[in-house]
Amino acid sequence: MKAAVLGTLFMLTFLPSFGQAKVELQIGGSNFLGMTVNSAYDIPVSKKGNQFISPYFGIGFLAPEWDGATSIIHAGLDYTVKKLGVGCELSNFLPSPFGQRDYPQTDVDLIVFPNISYTFSTKVNLYFKVSGGAYFAFNKADYYSGSTEWRFEGDVIPGAGFTTGYKF
């Protein structure tokens, strides 16, 4: 137990010296018709610095006109080589604590978005990322049978996302 705690503390202090922290704003992607603010971190895989693994996590909201007051919990992982990336995002849709909904259920509880992306970088540490992929929608609760298992909704549709961010 002591070794696990010391190992975790060592990794938390050691990894930031080799990585790149980022803050980003994402529209679309697995958020569907929503927006999230994400915290991302580039971890270099190669010594030349042209390959990265980028985990990210964020929170946001769905457009109120689409499904009432809905919050989004967003997570993803990308593997990037130079400017081209491949990854997968997840967005979980929850009732918002800041608003009341007219009805108790959403059309979808979780969207999985495997995607391919391209990143445009600027000289002032800003970047813009365009992604395209497919939406896989899941519902957890079936209000008619009372089941709480994740259920695939059956339709796979194409989707796109746009992200802008700042590298520290």
Side-chain angles (χ1 to χ4, degrees):
M1 178 67 174
K2 184 178 179 182
V5 171
L6 289 175
T8 303
L9 289 173
F10 175 75
M11 292 303 286
L12 289 174
T13 57
F14 183 70
L15 282 177
S17 63
F18 295 108
Q20 178 79 46
K22 304 185 293 187
V23 174
E24 55 189 29
L25 177 70
Q26 181 175 356
I27 299 171
S30 66
N31 302 326
F32 192 52
L33 296 175
M35 180 177 70
T36 58
V37 175
N38 302 327
S39 173
Y41 194 75
D42 285 344
I43 302 169
V45 176
S46 70
K47 291 184 180 183
K48 293 181 181 179
N50 60 0
Q51 296 179 27
F52 297 95
I53 292 178
S54 301
Y56 47 96
F57 179 76
I59 57 173
F61 59 91
L62 190 63
E65 298 80 23
W66 181 256
D67 194 23
T70 304
S71 296
I72 300 173
I73 303 294
H74 180 80
L77 182 67
D78 283 340
Y79 176 72
T80 306
V81 177
K82 295 184 181 177
K83 297 180 184 234
L84 189 63
V86 61
C88 189
E89 301 175 5
L90 303 167
S91 285
N92 191 3
F93 300 91
L94 306 165
S96 176
F98 303 111
Q100 189 62 28
R101 304 166 112 195
D102 296 334
Y103 46 92
Q105 70 185 41
T106 62
D107 291 335
V108 67
D109 290 327
L110 176 75
I111 290 181
V112 178
F113 183 64
N115 63 73
I116 296 173
S117 62
Y118 187 81
T119 304
F120 302 93
S121 298
T122 66
K123 292 182 182 182
V124 292
N125 291 339
L126 287 175
Y127 64 93
F128 304 95
K129 182 168 69 170
V130 179
S131 61
Y135 291 124
F136 294 86
F138 295 89
N139 271 333
K140 186 164 186 169
D142 185 358
Y143 296 99
Y144 301 109
S145 69
S147 173
T148 58
E149 296 177 3
W150 287 106
R151 182 172 44 98
F152 177 57
E153 289 298 310
D155 290 335
V156 178
I157 59 173
F162 178 75
T163 305
T164 184
Y166 182 78
K167 295 180 184 182
F168 293 100

